Amino acid sequence: MPDNHDGQGDVQDGKNFYLDVPQICSVFPLKGSNALDWGMKNRLARVFSPQDGRTVMLAVDHGYFQGPTTGLERIDVIITPLVTFADALMITRGALRSSIPPEMAKPVVLRASGGQSILKELSHERIAVDIEDAVRLNASALAVQVYIGGVHEHESIGNLADMVNAGNRHGIPTMAVTGVGKELARDAKYLGLATRICAELGAHFVKTYYCEANFARVAAGCPVPLVIAGGKKLPEPAALEMAWRAVNEGAAGVDMGRNIFQCEAPLAMIQAVRAVVHGDETPGKAHDLYLSLKSMQERGQYA
């Protein structure tokens, strides 16, 4: 360091300290997330739009237990064009590495549990991804299935707790996914129980099903954001109606798969879903948008 004989030296004295402006302390807008660390909030802000706190996630992780599901035979061909219109992509690490271009600038919600197939008991899962691999893949969140009331309820809850602990050490949020067996009713009482347990155990957001009666109570009783599973393929008007009802009754968005990639016009459908979730469009107008984009695609005016 040079000598400072004149008492001035090279130190520059700042001028604009804005003495009349208090330190800005912003409140993180996502439900139940304000006390999280900076890295957690940053990753959640990739998944959920900071403008409205909502998300349109594209779920394409079905192959981890279903194999080559209809519509997911070629993820590289079918899904890659849809990613542009999704806020986040829910996917397995195998499909991500093999089929999704690394220049994709969308957040990844990484499927982190597995260990069963449609040929066996679905609730028999384990943690299937090491946290270090999730870091290598730049995951914005981790997804773990939880089977409240299932044969392996205890193990699946343990999987969630273990993943939350691992994710917390690295600043990666965990999304709990409520798996519902065929013998259990998808009503507000069950969904309220399952989602609340997941949140209490540390899940940062929860994927669950929509129920027509009292879903607002499910959303209000869960202190973290809920995103709605699309479930089985529905007619397009019904899928858009479900999305509209869910976000208007407290959901923070959707995580749709089959209701998008099994449509005749998936590109048109994902944009119609976005219109509902982010544009507050009515189901009827969103369906009109779907039909218009589908028609343009059929005429070769829209890729």
Side-chain angles (χ1 to χ4, degrees):
M1 179 178 291
D3 292 335
N4 185 9
H5 297 296
D6 59 2
Q8 300 298 318
D10 297 323
V11 177
Q12 299 296 313
D13 188 20
K15 297 179 180 180
N16 296 322
F17 289 96
Y18 298 97
L19 300 181
D20 59 336
V21 180
Q23 169 100 8
I24 298 173
C25 298
S26 60
V27 176
F28 193 67
L30 196 63
K31 180 181 180 181
S33 304
N34 197 54
L36 299 177
D37 199 5
W38 192 95
M40 284 278 192
K41 292 178 180 177
N42 181 261
R43 288 182 172 89
L44 287 169
R46 301 176 200 170
V47 177
F48 295 88
S49 168
Q51 283 69 46
D52 59 16
R54 292 179 178 177
T55 186
V56 174
M57 293 171 53
L58 178 60
V60 298
D61 61 325
H62 304 65
Y64 92 97
F65 73 103
Q66 292 183 349
T69 308
T70 300
L72 293 181
E73 297 90 346
R74 286 286 302 275
I75 289 177
D76 59 325
V77 175
I78 300 167
I79 298 304
T80 300
L82 302 177
V83 172
T84 299
F85 300 101
D87 294 310
L89 183 65
M90 183 177 177
I91 192 169
T92 65
R93 61 177 171 179
L96 182 65
R97 282 190 166 109
S98 64
S99 303
I100 300 297
E103 59 268 25
M104 177 197 74
K106 292 298 176 77
V108 169
V109 178
L110 190 67
R111 164 61 66 176
S113 65
Q116 89 295 29
S117 76
I118 54 174
L119 304 178
K120 298 288 186 178
E121 167 56 44
L122 291 181
S123 67
H124 199 193
E125 287 196 354
R126 54 166 290 174
I127 295 298
V129 174
D130 188 85
I131 188 64
E132 280 75 19
D133 206 26
V135 172
R136 280 190 289 271
L137 288 167
N138 197 29
S140 292
L142 305 158
V144 177
Q145 207 83 9
V146 180
Y147 293 91
I148 303 300
V151 176
H152 296 280
E153 175 190 85
H154 178 74
E155 292 90 336
S156 71
I157 291 175
N159 291 339
L160 173 62
D162 289 345
M163 201 77 264
V164 168
N165 289 336
N168 284 347
R169 288 194 295 271
H170 294 269
I172 303 178
T174 299
M175 179 181 77
V177 183
T178 60
V180 183
K182 295 180 180 179
E183 69 282 359
L184 298 172
R186 296 179 183 180
D187 58 17
K189 183 177 181 180
Y190 173 81
L191 297 176
L193 172 71
T195 56
R196 182 60 176 261
I197 288 174
C198 292
E200 295 272 356
L201 286 167
H204 302 93
F205 58 114
V206 181
K207 176 178 177 177
T208 194
Y209 291 95
Y210 176 74
C211 59
E212 292 189 2
N214 297 317
F215 178 78
R217 293 176 58 180
V218 177
C222 184
V224 297
L226 296 182
V227 293
I228 299 306
K232 66 180 181 180
K233 176 68 174 71
L234 300 171
E236 286 76 18
L240 294 168
E241 177 77 18
M242 179 178 66
W244 182 83
R245 287 182 177 273
V247 295
N248 279 277
E249 294 174 26
V254 299
D255 187 16
M256 282 191 171
R258 288 170 288 180
N259 278 297
I260 292 175
F261 62 70
Q262 289 183 351
C263 286
E264 291 183 9
L267 277 169
M269 186 60 178
I270 194 170
Q271 291 179 81
V273 173
R274 285 193 68 84
V276 169
V277 173
H278 290 302
D280 291 319
E281 197 61 271
T282 63
K285 290 186 177 180
H287 188 243
D288 289 342
L289 173 64
Y290 167 75
L291 293 175
S292 174
L293 293 173
K294 179 174 180 286
S295 177
M296 290 173 61
Q297 185 175 350
E298 291 170 348
R299 295 197 304 270
Q301 298 176 348
Y302 174 75

